[in-house]
Amino acid sequence: MTDRTNATAGSSPATEKEARDVAEAARESEWSGPSFVRELFLGRFRLDLIHPHPVTVDADEQVRALAFFARLRAFLEEVDSDLIDRTGQIPEEYVDELREMGAFGIKIPTEYGGLGLSYASYTRAMAMVTSKDGSLTALLSAHQSIGLPQPLKLFGTPEQKARYFPRLAKGAISAFALTEVDAGSDPANLRTSATPSADGSYWTLNGEKLWCTNGTRAELFVVMARTADVVVNGKPRKQITAFIVEGNAPGVEVVHRCRFMGLKAIENGVIRFTNVRVPSENILWGEGKGLKLALITLNTGRLTLPASCAGGGKAMLQVARTWAKERVQWGQPIGKHEAVAQKLALMAADTFAMEAVAELAVALAERGHYDIRLEAAIAKMWNTEKGWRIVDDTLQIRGGRGYETADSLRGRGEAGIPVERAMRDARINLIFEGSSEIMRLFIAREAVDHHFKTAFALVDKDSSSGEKFAALRRVARFYPGWYLARWLGRGDVPGSYGDFGPLAKHLRWAERRTRHLGRMLFHAMVRFGPKLERRQMVLFRGVDIGAELFAMAASCVRANMLAAQGNAEAIELADLFCRVARDRIRTAFDHFYGPNDGAIYRVSQHVLAGQHEWLEQGIVGIMEERPAPSGGPGGRATQELRKVEGVGA
Ligand SMILES: Cc1cc2nc3c(=O)[nH]c(=O)nc-3n(C[C@H](O)[C@H](O)[C@H](O)COP(=O)(O)OP(=O)(O)OC[C@H]3O[C@@H](n4cnc5c(N)ncnc54)[C@H](O)[C@@H]3O)c2cc1C
């Protein structure tokens, strides 16, 4: 039973239970279509869901996309990214040129003035931009992956679409404002509030948003705010609603521009909303649906980063390959020394796999009738982590030149290859749009969802005897057949997956390991019961195995498709990737229950309690007191800025 209350405030941080309840309420509890990865965690290797490769080609769209790519490439070739990095600003003429070529409306339908290109073309464009300049990617992607165009496309009313799409397509920059000082990964702590007017015609928005990309220059914001709690079964439940807010509305204020280790020109800031009037027709999707909207927007929105990482990986591969051939030390090119050679080979294989994962996830999203959330989360988590390691290896191969800035290299007469900048720009990928840890938690939750739905009531102390009995019937119906079938499958049949030629052996292995994963997760459920959700080290090993199996399948399917198109070279890369992924999977299975997990957690808690502070002796501490809040002009953020500037003066 639900009811509305007037409560939105509540200044104390959300309890763990509240945080979980808010996340659970916003979760998509039903599956809107099949999912290869969901099946995989249940121990079922449903290759038919991704093979033949689901990529679709629309000839007309391709022609228009290629024309756009050509223009984008020509523009990027002229962009001075070291200038952008050095000055922390994207020159206005660059933004104008991007506007002119339609780069702010790539996916917006043509009837609203956009380019009307597919999601696949959009992500290809972002990969190209990333290979040159991360700050430009942030500008375009914060606008189109999570900014207003995406939720408007998914949830906007026809009136909202007619009002905003034409502006957005012309280059009205938008931003997505969810994060706050106390609400990072945990949206239950959101404080920004919206209260309705007595006549219901508008809402009054108050609060402050942190790290809002494009926020310092946005014409339009999607703002997540708390609205009146609803009462569910006698208890209040927090509600979050999404509002479209005009950047020039009275009361919208940029109070601080944030600066970071990389993405130096990202237009990111602290945005304050003071008594901002928002017309009621600016609610997106409906009252209380904001967090769900944010999560669904991110499901497809986070497909941009995997493609970007693949683009970045290609740029790094080009640098590493060229340098490993050119640089001679100890009598031969460094690429002939085994330590460097192995990095180069793995970089090529991993870049191939990253592109396979990104392309497959996007193709599945575009085909429709497919639930993309697990594939998208794995693609985000896995590609950003692989991409980071590729930048690190490239820097190592470039040696001292990898650590030197492009300007400095140029200043002493060498080629200004910006690996140092690429490294600074790439690190944030593992944090925003869902950190690696939060992605693993999300994937783990969905991975065990079927088991939860089937059996959880049996071990839940709050469930009634009727619920327990119903669960018992479900368990008796599902598990005997399912469990037995996890012991024998297609991977045990010699010669199966024969159409994959030399890659067939990897698919047979992956099929067997998928059944093994299904069994292991089930055993873990039985072993830990409801406590499993707290055993992150165990769960995350399961997630990592699932991610590697997905990457193996994606690589084989893509190599098979490319080979059929005449590019047999791809087989070699997919083969190497699978060989090495198999090693990683074996190790994760061998340590599934982590013999040292207990000791690791115990020591971590001793560290937290200060028991090992003695280890921190002999250093000059770099910790700084948080400045006291101040109500003065510009508020706390400006005070901090002044303080930092004061040190430099
Ligand atoms: C450059 C930049 C751009 C950004 N752009 C935007 C934007 O446009 N819009 C927007 O709304 N936000 C934006 N963000 C915010 C970004 O999405 C958050 O930084 C991110 O959600 C993580 O929140 P946090 O940094 O507060 O980390 P916290 O939530 O404080 O987490 C700190 C660490 O703890 C881990 N952790 C937290 N909870 C758990 C858990 N339950 N289990 C295990 N580990 C956990 C996290 O993974 C992380 O490693 C941006 C941030 C940056 C730095």
Side-chain angles (χ1 to χ4, degrees):
M1 213 198 87
T2 62
D3 203 356
R4 254 181 86 185
T5 79
N6 283 330
T8 52
S11 54
S12 55
T15 61
E16 187 181 354
K17 167 124 184 34
E18 277 178 311
R20 281 169 198 274
D21 285 350
V22 170
E24 245 345 272
R27 203 182 136 249
E28 291 170 83
S29 53
E30 297 306 320
W31 289 81
S32 60
S35 156
F36 175 80
V37 173
R38 181 170 192 255
E39 293 290 325
L40 197 139
F41 284 117
L42 273 172
R44 301 190 283 228
F45 193 70
R46 291 280 313 276
L47 199 67
D48 58 302
L49 292 174
I50 58 170
H51 173 69
H53 200 290
V55 70
T56 48
V57 181
D58 169 345
D60 167 60
E61 195 267 353
Q62 282 290 295
V63 172
R64 289 185 295 115
L66 289 176
F68 171 64
F69 295 155
R71 191 156 174 205
L72 184 63
R73 177 184 293 278
F75 161 76
L76 289 169
E77 277 166 358
E78 297 303 315
V79 161
D80 184 347
S81 292
D82 293 314
L83 172 91
I84 293 177
D85 187 60
R86 202 182 311 122
T87 59
Q89 291 296 338
I90 298 171
E92 223 30 57
E93 62 265 27
Y94 287 173
V95 181
D96 287 342
E97 206 168 330
L98 286 166
R99 279 198 178 103
E100 215 176 286
M101 71 176 88
F104 286 94
I106 301 175
K107 294 177 282 131
I108 295 177
T110 48
E111 75 232 52
Y112 297 111
L115 295 183
L117 296 179
S118 64
Y119 211 96
S121 295
Y122 166 67
T123 51
R124 275 179 70 186
M126 288 305 109
M128 193 193 287
V129 177
T130 307
S131 67
K132 178 75 192 250
D133 194 302
S135 291
L136 287 178
T137 306
L139 173 74
L140 295 171
S141 163
H143 168 68
Q144 292 171 95
S145 300
I146 56 175
L148 187 52
Q150 187 65 7
L152 192 63
K153 194 168 185 176
L154 294 173
F155 306 106
T157 61
E159 295 75 33
Q160 287 172 335
K161 287 180 182 171
R163 197 170 338 132
Y164 295 109
F165 267 151
R167 277 174 71 188
L168 294 160
K170 278 197 202 117
I173 295 171
S174 69
F176 176 85
L178 174 66
T179 304
E180 299 176 9
V181 167
D182 292 318
S185 309
D186 174 11
N189 277 338
L190 220 70
R191 299 264 175 275
T192 296
S193 68
T195 41
S197 62
D199 65 357
S201 64
Y202 67 91
W203 292 68
T204 304
L205 193 65
N206 278 291
E208 201 170 275
K209 293 292 180 180
L210 177 64
W211 294 326
C212 182
T213 302
N214 286 351
T216 46
R217 62 176 302 160
E219 275 183 47
L220 291 160
F221 289 85
V222 179
V223 182
M224 306 299 153
R226 278 194 58 194
T227 46
D229 291 353
V230 291
V231 178
V232 182
N233 297 332
K235 290 182 192 148
R237 176 174 293 165
K238 293 180 178 178
Q239 296 292 290
I240 294 168
T241 302
F243 294 88
I244 303 172
V245 180
E246 294 281 347
N248 63 2
V252 179
E253 191 191 351
V254 178
V255 287
H256 178 77
R257 167 134 185 213
C258 303
R259 296 291 186 177
F260 303 96
M261 71 181 277
L263 300 181
K264 290 291 185 188
I266 189 173
E267 289 278 357
N268 182 296
V270 177
I271 315 298
R272 186 176 297 156
F273 302 91
T274 313
N275 294 326
V276 178
R277 269 188 181 213
V278 186
S280 293
E281 61 267 24
N282 282 22
I283 288 183
L284 267 167
W285 200 14
E287 197 183 329
K289 292 187 169 175
L291 192 55
K292 204 167 201 163
L293 172 140
L295 296 181
I296 295 175
T297 299
L298 279 167
N299 278 342
T300 39
R302 64 168 62 100
L303 290 176
T304 312
L305 266 177
S308 292
C309 290
K314 288 179 183 199
M316 291 298 102
L317 182 61
Q318 192 181 48
V319 169
R321 173 176 59 80
T322 313
W323 185 244
K325 202 169 154 188
E326 190 181 306
R327 176 71 170 169
V328 176
Q329 292 287 280
W330 302 84
Q332 52 180 346
I334 56 170
K336 296 273 180 190
H337 299 301
E338 224 174 68
V340 174
Q342 57 122 8
K343 284 193 180 60
L344 209 54
L346 296 179
M347 213 182 262
D350 285 350
T351 300
F352 174 78
M354 279 160 71
E355 189 165 32
V357 164
E359 193 182 77
L360 178 62
V362 170
L364 290 167
E366 287 218 302
R367 189 174 63 176
H369 311 299
Y370 189 96
D371 201 314
I372 194 67
R373 70 187 108 146
L374 275 171
E375 283 75 359
I378 286 189
K380 195 279 172 184
M381 173 196 94
W382 196 83
N383 277 23
T384 55
E385 292 182 357
K386 274 276 173 285
W388 171 245
R389 276 195 285 275
I390 286 176
V391 180
D392 191 32
D393 280 347
T394 307
L395 195 142
Q396 193 67 19
I397 290 175
R398 284 277 292 161
R401 288 166 180 80
Y403 194 66
E404 189 171 4
T405 66
D407 281 343
S408 172
L409 283 163
R410 241 179 252 118
R412 59 181 186 77
E414 290 206 30
I417 298 170
V419 178
E420 174 265 350
R421 168 162 57 82
M423 179 170 239
R424 284 188 283 108
D425 286 355
R427 187 58 183 82
I428 187 60
N429 293 337
L430 287 75
I431 296 170
F432 59 16
E433 294 186 18
S435 68
S436 284
E437 292 78 12
I438 297 301
M439 286 296 92
R440 282 188 171 81
L441 268 183
F442 172 84
I443 295 161
R445 169 69 187 86
E446 301 303 341
V448 295
D449 182 51
H450 190 278
H451 297 305
F452 259 61
K453 277 188 180 143
T454 310
F456 185 70
L458 271 182
V459 288
D460 182 11
K461 60 180 173 23
D462 292 335
S463 55
S464 65
S465 48
E467 285 165 334
K468 281 193 197 306
F469 184 66
L472 195 63
R473 283 180 50 185
R474 283 195 301 272
V475 166
R477 259 201 318 268
F478 174 73
Y479 281 107
W482 173 83
Y483 191 71
L484 276 178
R486 303 288 62 78
W487 290 94
L488 211 62
R490 206 174 152 195
D492 299 308
V493 181
S496 58
Y497 301 105
D499 50 331
F500 281 85
L503 299 176
K505 59 180 180 296
H506 296 307
L507 290 174
R508 286 196 293 273
W509 191 91
E511 196 277 339
R512 293 196 297 274
R513 289 303 168 168
T514 298
R515 280 185 277 122
H516 188 182
L517 177 62
R519 295 195 305 264
M520 287 297 264
L521 286 173
F522 173 67
H523 295 163
M525 285 272 299
V526 173
R527 182 167 169 166
F528 297 114
K531 291 193 185 122
L532 178 60
E533 62 179 331
R534 290 178 188 281
R535 298 300 302 260
Q536 292 187 346
M537 285 187 265
V538 173
L539 276 175
F540 288 8
R541 278 181 208 108
V543 168
D544 288 344
I545 292 171
E548 295 285 355
L549 288 169
F550 177 52
M552 279 179 72
S555 299
C556 290
V557 166
R558 179 158 194 261
N560 188 266
M561 175 182 74
L562 293 178
Q565 292 165 2
N567 180 5
E569 308 287 334
I571 301 282
E572 185 180 54
L573 293 181
D575 176 59
L576 179 62
F577 173 74
C578 289
R579 284 168 188 264
V580 181
R582 283 167 66 162
D583 278 346
R584 288 191 292 264
I585 293 171
R586 267 188 218 105
T587 309
F589 270 126
D590 287 349
H591 299 100
F592 199 79
Y593 290 118
N596 297 322
D597 287 0
I600 290 170
Y601 195 73
R602 205 168 39 252
V603 172
S604 76
Q605 299 312 294
H606 293 164
V607 171
L608 272 183
Q611 207 169 312
H612 293 299
E613 254 184 62
W614 57 270
L615 196 59
E616 296 159 18
Q617 285 168 7
I619 58 164
V620 178
I622 54 171
M623 299 299 292
E624 197 177 290
E625 292 287 313
R626 187 174 173 162
S630 139
R636 189 187 65 227
T638 312
Q639 297 281 323
E640 275 181 27
L641 182 63
R642 288 209 191 101
K643 187 160 172 257
V644 174
E645 282 173 351
V647 172

